Amino acid sequence: MTHVATALLSLGGFALLFLAMARHQQDWLRRKLPDQQSRRLRRAGFALLSIAFLVAGLGLGWGYGSVAWFGWLSAGAVTIVTLNCNRERILTWVRP
């Protein structure tokens, strides 16, 4: 259960950090969010990554948990990058 929680928190954190950037907001949302909202997204993204570290450390022990956390960070980042690379295909499926 610890691995699932760490993976989901890492993925969510990277998704929020991704959407905090103006370039990606324009690509995905078709508009730029206000600066205050971008800062909130950035803070929330870092908070989720920090919580994922705590979950992994407390659930698996700090030695193994930190290694697992880095692994799930990598998996989350690769997932977000892959989704961004296939943005057009995803958006045509979501938006008719």
Side-chain angles (χ1 to χ4, degrees), residues 5-6 10-11 13-14 23 29 31 51 63 69-70 80 84 90:
T6 305
S10 298
L11 182 63
F14 275 116
R23 175 182 177 187
L29 305 175
R31 65 187 177 97
I51 293 169
W69 179 68
F70 276 113
I80 295 299
N84 190 40
I90 293 168

Side-chain angles (χ1 to χ4, degrees), residues 3 12 17-19 62 65 77:
H3 284 288
L17 289 173
F18 176 80
L19 285 177
W62 294 106

Side-chain angles (χ1 to χ4, degrees), residues 16 20 34-47:
L16 290 175
D35 289 338
Q36 185 178 16
Q37 196 167 2
S38 293
R39 278 192 295 274
R40 284 185 192 149
L41 285 171
R42 195 173 304 115
R43 280 190 216 123
F46 282 120

